[in-house]
Amino acid sequence: MKTKLATLSLSLLVAIFAACTSQNPSTVSSQQPDTTATGTPDRHTATSPPPTLTSTKPATPAVDDQQDTPTPELLTVKLTQYDLSATLNYPRHHLAVDEQIAYTNQSGEPISDLLLIIEPARYPGVFQLNSLSWSDGQPILDYTRDLGLLRIPLVEPLPPGEELGISLSYDLNLPSPSPSYYGRPVPFGYSSRQTNLVDWYPFIPPYVPGEGWVAHRAGPFGEHLVYEVADFEVKIQLSDSNPNLVIAACAPAEIANDVYRYQFKGARNFSWSVSDQYILSTTTVASVAVLSYYFPVNTVAGEAVLQTTAEALELYNDLFGPYPRKTLTVVEADFLDGMEYDGLYFLSKGFYNLYSGGPADYLTAIAAHETAHQWWYSAIGNDQALEPWLDEALSTYSERLFYENLHPQGLDWWWTYRIYYYEPRGWVDGSIYNPEGYRAYRDAVYLNGALFLEDLRNLIGDKPFFEFLYAYSQGYYRRIASGDDFFALLEDYSQTDISPLLDKYFQMR
Ligand SMILES: [Zn+2]
């Protein structure tokens, strides 16, 4: 009973706060190294041997520079192209950026203005625009700015399939946000030992015919951005001569003359992190290099994260379809919770510090969750603000699949402490703007969402369920799926009447 109470207390500790992962470890200034963990979770049902682990002081990730897997289909027009050239002054927390955007109207209807989302501009004093011009060099003077939005009216509407180029130059004086228990996790900015660059450049959101730009306001919790896939060419230079600085990025680098060059094709975004303290462990699974960057005090947990990510990637490859990239990067973060980006995810130091060894641990569950976002968020996009269940319920349920298939001895723990402990309820199809607060949002979207998927699987049967999941993943690859898309495709795989489940879990269906 004592053990159980201790576990419950821990669960309470980690349950209260906000994020992508719906779990938040107790992280405030907790720096104790974990000396009890073994970092070698068992693997019961996998058919291939565990990945080989190597631990090194990071230099350049040893991965090839091949292009990502080409798009198989779907997108008939050229993707929007972002060319970013950034110089980071690490000790001064300053980034200077030149950016060219070659925007292609993929919406199917003429567009009468251009909208840039500038997330850094939501932070006071962070974003300084130096110049804005058309691709021919003509300055753009007729624009309006409102916090994180910049709108440029077009003299003539941009027809479908046509391209338009703009150039920007700007400086970022990076913020150093304090961890907050009451708001969304903030990966953007610097701490004493790392700088995280996420949503750091102006980008153009999806445009929905008849509705316009998909640009939602930030909420107090949850994620609000929606991304159209694009091609990224990124050049990074470090102005500081510190030889220990390491860049952890969402794609492999080519380095020449101290310039780091990246190509990231068909991606939702481009994210990176820099530190002079990272340890890097790598492994390869299914031709994908998995890279785990962590701080020296968390070696055991850093290796466990690598192992979990590699195992989950291999499993989800089978269940949802091939992971389309050459690398997947995990970065230990000085902010709360976990947060997914395309080709990279952050995981809070709190999970590392609290890691107890073995799979029945939040570090493992959340690493499996964040890895699943490479499908439910990156490969298959959705409106994170209005239909967050499409990525969060599916990623939470993917944790269940991870335990079920690879670590069944942890499955009871997962159901008990990840799901049932919170007595989840609420409409699965709620938005991030839940007026009842984070806990109600998390319980409904993540946890009740996972229960819905479990009930759905039990109702229609394993075979149709997994065939549908695979088809959904492949059918909406690099697109943005909606709840309507989800249920319309489901009808192709099961004729079972699911209306009792819809009545139970969904407000709008
Ligand atoms: Zn999540």
Side-chain angles (χ1 to χ4, degrees):
M1 180 55 83
K2 222 172 188 178
T3 307
K4 191 168 183 184
L5 280 175
T7 313
L8 284 173
S9 303
L10 179 60
S11 299
L12 275 173
L13 257 181
V14 301
I16 303 169
F17 315 112
C20 140
T21 55
S22 87
Q23 284 298 344
N24 243 318
S26 172
T27 52
V28 178
S29 304
S30 174
Q31 291 290 333
Q32 305 92 327
D34 184 339
T35 55
T36 58
T38 66
T40 52
D42 296 326
R43 184 178 177 123
H44 285 267
T45 57
T47 51
S48 55
T52 312
L53 304 181
T54 56
S55 183
T56 60
K57 183 72 182 165
T60 308
V63 292
D64 64 48
D65 59 356
Q66 280 181 272
Q67 299 286 310
D68 291 331
T69 310
T71 318
E73 49 23 52
L74 302 175
L75 302 163
T76 54
V77 295
K78 187 182 164 196
L79 297 183
T80 292
Q81 171 89 31
Y82 293 87
D83 284 291
L84 296 149
S85 180
T87 302
L88 176 67
N89 187 320
Y90 183 80
R92 291 177 180 246
H93 318 300
H94 176 270
L95 191 73
V97 187
D98 288 319
E99 174 174 358
Q100 280 83 46
I101 305 174
Y103 174 72
T104 304
N105 177 4
Q106 300 181 56
S107 74
E109 77 174 27
I111 289 175
S112 60
D113 64 357
L114 214 52
L115 185 69
L116 290 174
I117 291 183
I118 310 177
E119 281 293 284
R122 296 199 301 105
Y123 303 88
V126 169
F127 179 81
Q128 181 189 322
L129 183 64
N130 301 322
S131 68
L132 174 64
S133 62
W134 300 110
S135 55
D136 63 3
Q138 289 290 324
I140 299 173
L141 303 172
D142 180 21
Y143 65 85
T144 56
R145 271 183 67 180
D146 177 20
L147 259 184
L149 301 179
L150 189 153
R151 198 177 293 269
I152 306 169
L154 301 179
V155 176
E156 292 182 12
L158 182 68
E162 294 294 310
E163 190 177 314
L164 192 60
I166 60 174
S167 296
L168 305 93
S169 167
Y170 50 93
D171 288 286
L172 300 180
N173 294 301
L174 298 170
S176 183
S178 306
S180 166
Y181 287 138
Y182 304 103
R184 56 200 296 270
V186 184
F188 177 66
Y190 71 90
S191 71
S192 61
R193 54 181 186 173
Q194 73 181 170
T195 294
N196 299 323
L197 280 308
V198 301
D199 299 316
W200 51 283
Y201 48 85
F203 72 95
I204 300 176
Y207 187 98
V208 176
E211 297 181 20
W213 298 108
V214 183
H216 302 300
R217 65 182 167 86
F221 45 81
E223 286 88 63
H224 63 283
L225 297 175
V226 187
Y227 308 95
E228 194 169 66
V229 293
D231 291 340
F232 293 85
E233 299 259 355
V234 180
K235 280 189 296 183
I236 298 172
Q237 283 185 279
L238 302 173
S239 63
D240 186 32
S241 59
N242 181 346
N244 294 323
L245 282 179
V246 168
I247 299 178
C250 59
E254 286 179 39
I255 306 172
N257 301 320
D258 294 327
V259 179
Y260 295 72
R261 293 174 184 271
Y262 303 88
Q263 283 196 330
F264 204 36
K265 304 281 190 185
R268 303 282 170 191
N269 42 46
F270 187 97
S271 306
W272 49 299
S273 176
V274 182
S275 172
D276 59 3
Q277 299 183 31
Y278 286 145
I279 302 291
L280 170 63
S281 290
T282 64
T283 187
T284 301
V285 60
S287 301
V288 177
V290 181
L291 302 97
S292 172
Y293 293 88
Y294 50 89
F295 298 113
V297 296
N298 295 123
T299 300
V300 172
E303 296 285 351
V305 167
L306 178 72
Q307 179 88 20
T308 296
T309 303
E311 290 179 352
L313 191 148
E314 189 174 29
L315 174 69
Y316 301 154
N317 263 343
D318 291 340
L319 293 177
F320 312 143
Y323 176 70
R325 312 214 175 279
K326 294 295 178 190
T327 61
L328 176 55
T329 296
V330 192
V331 180
E332 180 179 356
D334 271 341
F335 63 87
L336 292 173
D337 228 295
M339 190 61 78
E340 72 278 11
Y341 296 92
D342 203 331
L344 180 151
Y345 74 84
F346 290 97
L347 202 53
S348 174
K349 64 182 180 185
F351 293 118
Y352 291 70
N353 290 336
L354 293 170
Y355 180 57
S356 60
D361 189 285
Y362 279 106
L363 182 87
T364 305
I366 304 306
H369 177 108
E370 300 300 340
T371 303
H373 273 305
Q374 292 304 314
W375 283 262
W376 320 125
Y377 161 92
S378 292
I380 302 91
N382 62 295
D383 189 322
Q384 296 192 99
L386 302 185
E387 294 190 302
W389 74 275
L390 282 171
D391 64 297
E392 295 302 355
L394 278 163
S395 292
T396 305
Y397 193 71
S398 298
E399 299 171 37
R400 186 255 199 269
L401 301 176
F402 172 85
Y403 282 105
E404 171 187 350
N405 285 278
L406 302 177
H407 299 286
Q409 77 276 27
L411 189 57
D412 283 348
W413 170 87
W414 185 84
W415 278 118
T416 302
Y417 294 110
R418 178 73 162 131
I419 306 291
Y420 290 128
Y421 176 77
Y422 303 101
E423 300 176 351
R425 59 201 161 100
W427 300 116
V428 171
D429 52 347
S431 77
I432 62 168
Y433 308 110
N434 189 326
E436 294 176 48
Y438 170 70
R439 169 75 191 263
Y441 161 70
R442 189 275 316 270
D443 288 358
V445 170
Y446 290 66
L447 307 185
N448 225 19
L451 287 176
F452 159 68
L453 290 166
E454 176 78 358
D455 282 355
L456 178 65
R457 176 181 169 186
N458 288 334
L459 182 64
I460 71 175
D462 274 12
K463 189 166 184 291
F465 180 79
F466 285 108
E467 286 177 353
F468 157 69
L469 268 192
Y470 195 94
Y472 172 70
S473 168
Q474 296 304 294
Y476 289 95
Y477 177 62
R478 290 187 174 174
R479 298 164 69 187
I480 295 170
S482 67
D484 288 344
D485 296 327
F486 180 96
F487 286 108
L489 186 65
L490 180 60
E491 288 180 6
D492 291 346
Y493 290 84
S494 173
Q495 281 70 57
T496 305
D497 176 17
I498 64 164
S499 54
L501 291 189
L502 298 181
D503 292 343
K504 180 179 175 184
Y505 288 105
F506 287 79
Q507 185 175 25
M508 306 300 286
R509 292 185 184 280

